[in-house]
Amino acid sequence: MNDAPQLDERLHEIRERVVARNVADSAYLRVADEILESISVALPRHPEWLEDQLIERVFEPERQLVFRVPWTADDGTIRMNRGYRIQHSSALGPYKGGLRFHPTVTHDVVAFLAFEQVFKNALTGLSLGAGKGGADFDPKGRSPTEVMRFCQSFMTELHRHLGATTDVPAGDIGVGEREIGWLYGQYARIVNRVEAGVLTGKGLDWGGSHVRKEATGFGLAYFAEAMLAERDEALEGTTCVVSGAGNVARYTVAKLQALGAKVVACSDSGGTVHDPDGLDLDAIVEIKEVRRASLEEYLQVRPEAEHMPAATPWSIPCDAAFPCATQDELDEEDARTLVANGVRLVAEGANLPCTHAAIGVFLEAGVAFGPGKAANAGGVATSALEMRQNAGRTAWSFETTDARLRDVMVEVHRRCMDAAEELGRPGDLVLGANVAGFRTVARAVRALGAV
Ligand code: NDP
Ligand code: 2IT
């Protein structure tokens, strides 16, 4: 269990009950503590939050699904994984959030992701409820037909719980456009309906939206731009490092480069590539997206770069750092190293990539810090735009969708800034995101009565 946070004394009993109910889920409880800390600051302005077990009702998922996923390997043997979908909140709209296929997926991982998603989705202002799902399936080393059969079996169980106005999954780690295609194909076959709005992240030819693929990374760069603008700074001319080499990382690199930054590092589960002249993004896309290989192969294209096996990018001097791989990938020591090397901005593309202690180091050092639930909201925001296009049977241009994404990110940033300012902590985006998100969901849950 985590150390108890500093809380208004009336919140301690609530925390005790939340801990008792979720004692095995440490990552979920970390999020709960961070939200409670922020609630504690805002409570004097919101005494109604203590009524009717409101806080506990926001913290408790509406429904949690755990299911067996049997599938057949290419060698004919039958395999089995555990699938999850946690439908956390429908107060603001249909459950919305990604699916993760990775061997590290547990109930705790899905629970914390679904819980974060509640506040993230509220911050977008786009009428989105929240959920998250996935499986402890490892796609690495599996043939495309094995991954397809897994997706089909996963959807054979999950389909009965989904719907364009009920629950709308998307991708996350290990689930990209390819997997969304197989999931969507199986859904449509089972229900015998073309219901494009049941999944987002679809391909452009079959109901997808322009910019959804790029959205999380582009949105992260737009959010960082807005953060720096507060300090009369810009991304142009900065040196940046990004972790990960997946969907979020690649399009973060792309937009940072387009905005005039030099991105000198990215990583995957095998280590970090450091290219002081600036990354060759085409080479990374070819290695990671097309060939699904290790970043080590980058040296075949750029022999002057360095590959650091088993290392993260955080020891490389930079102005701005963007953790875009996974949870807990940047700890207190990494944060101290970044600060000592002069980092001025850290914005989270991944969900919960910086540990609680690392965030403390950044805030204490005056580094501009953008928490994931705000900074990476561009992905789900563009999913909401995809849902709108599906509902209206229309398709917007790349430029229109990108401009809307940028507006949403500026608005998310403003909501967080305003909430922090009101509470006397100007610029504290952690507090601002938590309070602005919680306030919106709590208001809706209160209005809906005992549901
Ligand atoms: P991808 O599967 O496309 O990429 C994940 C990247 O992170 C890969 O480079 C992978 O390395 C690396 N990685 C994953 N797990 C680990 C691990 N345990 N240790 C080290 N490296 C790891 O996923 P996404 O880019 O979609 O997601 C990245 C993060 O962004 C996640 O936290 C996700 O929740 C978050 N996010 C995603 C959104 C989206 O729209 N996709 C939206 C908002 C947040 P390797 O290639 O070696 O496997
Ligand atoms: O963490 C996230 O916000 C996502 N994986 C995207 C969710 C979505 O529904 O687009």
Side-chain angles (χ1 to χ4, degrees):
M1 203 175 81
N2 310 327
D3 292 339
Q6 297 278 320
L7 297 179
D8 181 294
E9 61 182 32
R10 293 166 295 176
L11 293 176
H12 278 293
E13 269 181 37
I14 295 174
R15 178 177 187 272
E16 271 172 27
R17 288 197 292 269
V18 171
V19 170
R21 273 195 202 101
N22 301 283
V23 77
D25 288 338
S26 59
Y28 166 88
L29 287 174
R30 175 190 153 186
V31 178
D33 274 349
E34 288 179 3
I35 301 292
L36 281 170
E37 261 181 313
S38 297
I39 289 175
S40 187
V41 178
L43 199 57
R45 289 162 172 261
H46 292 283
E48 76 280 9
W49 289 353
L50 292 173
E51 294 167 12
D52 297 328
Q53 286 196 299
L54 181 63
I55 294 170
E56 279 164 88
R57 286 194 288 141
V58 173
F59 281 33
E60 181 74 4
E62 289 174 19
R63 190 177 297 111
Q64 310 197 48
L65 308 161
V66 183
F67 50 95
R68 183 170 65 192
V69 189
W71 53 282
T72 311
D74 286 345
D75 64 8
T77 58
I78 297 175
R79 305 296 172 97
M80 190 280 295
N81 287 91
R82 180 175 284 185
Y84 303 87
R85 184 72 180 168
I86 297 187
Q87 298 178 328
H88 198 113
S89 175
S90 61
L92 299 177
Y95 306 112
K96 184 80 196 88
L99 298 172
R100 177 179 292 191
F101 293 166
H102 195 272
T104 56
V105 167
T106 59
H107 180 270
D108 186 25
V109 167
V110 182
F112 99 70
L113 289 165
F115 196 26
E116 276 284 285
Q117 202 83 42
V118 172
F119 308 105
K120 180 193 310 194
N121 292 4
L123 283 170
T124 67
L126 294 171
S127 307
L128 294 168
K132 200 84 187 191
D136 58 359
F137 171 73
D138 188 357
K140 280 221 178 79
R142 291 291 163 198
S143 71
T145 51
E146 287 177 317
V147 177
M148 181 177 72
R149 285 195 295 273
F150 180 82
C151 289
Q152 291 176 335
S153 179
F154 185 88
M155 186 53 90
T156 298
E157 177 57 35
L158 192 61
H159 82 277
R160 64 189 100 249
H161 307 289
L162 304 183
T165 55
T166 308
D167 184 351
V168 184
D172 194 84
I173 292 176
V175 178
E177 185 179 316
R178 182 183 74 164
E179 290 73 22
I180 293 292
W182 291 329
L183 291 162
Y184 179 61
Q186 183 74 352
Y187 180 87
R189 187 175 183 205
I190 293 173
V191 302
N192 192 30
R193 278 195 308 274
V194 176
E195 195 187 319
V198 74
L199 286 168
T200 60
K202 300 180 293 295
L204 284 178
D205 295 331
W206 37 281
S209 170
H210 280 297
V211 194
R212 176 59 190 90
K213 188 167 70 166
E214 297 84 355
T216 314
F218 278 21
L220 179 62
Y222 296 149
F223 194 87
E225 252 190 329
M227 288 169 71
L228 286 175
E230 291 291 325
R231 303 178 171 214
D232 290 325
E233 293 177 35
L235 283 165
E236 189 168 7
T238 58
T239 298
C240 301
V241 302
V242 173
S243 67
N247 171 274
V248 178
R250 290 196 293 269
Y251 291 101
T252 300
V253 173
K255 186 52 79 176
L256 290 172
Q257 289 179 340
L259 293 170
K262 183 159 81 166
V263 189
V264 297
C266 69
S267 64
D268 64 9
S269 53
T272 289
V273 157
H274 182 198
D275 189 343
D277 294 333
L279 292 173
D280 178 340
L281 185 57
D282 290 342
I284 290 164
V285 170
E286 171 68 23
I287 295 163
K288 296 303 298 184
E289 192 172 334
V290 182
R291 297 215 306 275
R292 296 175 185 266
S294 162
L295 265 187
E296 217 176 328
E297 297 188 8
Y298 186 79
L299 301 199
Q300 292 167 12
V301 184
R302 307 260 300 186
E304 62 281 18
E306 184 191 359
H307 183 257
M308 312 188 297
T312 60
W314 315 130
S315 60
I316 298 167
C318 62
D319 302 303
F322 298 88
C324 296
T326 193
Q327 61 272 15
D328 295 328
E329 55 163 321
L330 194 164
D331 65 15
E332 184 175 1
E333 199 183 321
D334 298 323
R336 291 197 193 289
T337 306
L338 281 161
V339 169
N341 285 336
V343 76
R344 301 203 303 280
L345 175 140
V346 177
E348 296 183 320
N351 287 305
L352 247 53
C354 300
T355 63
H356 189 65
I359 295 170
V361 170
F362 293 136
L363 294 182
E364 199 174 309
V367 172
F369 179 75
K373 65 170 75 62
N376 72 35
V380 78
T382 308
S383 281
L385 303 182
E386 183 171 333
M387 289 160 72
R388 286 179 184 201
Q389 292 169 78
N390 292 152
R393 291 183 158 274
T394 186
W396 307 337
S397 70
F398 191 96
E399 291 70 25
T400 301
T401 319
D402 189 31
R404 291 202 184 188
L405 166 64
R406 196 174 196 147
D407 289 347
V408 171
M409 296 316 292
V410 168
E411 190 61 15
V412 170
H413 178 259
R414 193 194 55 75
R415 286 193 182 106
C416 299
M417 290 295 283
D418 288 352
E421 176 94 35
E422 277 169 31
L423 294 166
R425 299 236 298 253
D428 184 341
L429 294 173
V430 174
L431 176 69
N434 290 343
V435 170
F438 181 83
R439 193 167 51 195
T440 306
V441 185
R443 215 165 33 220
V445 170
R446 235 168 100 77
L448 295 173
V451 292

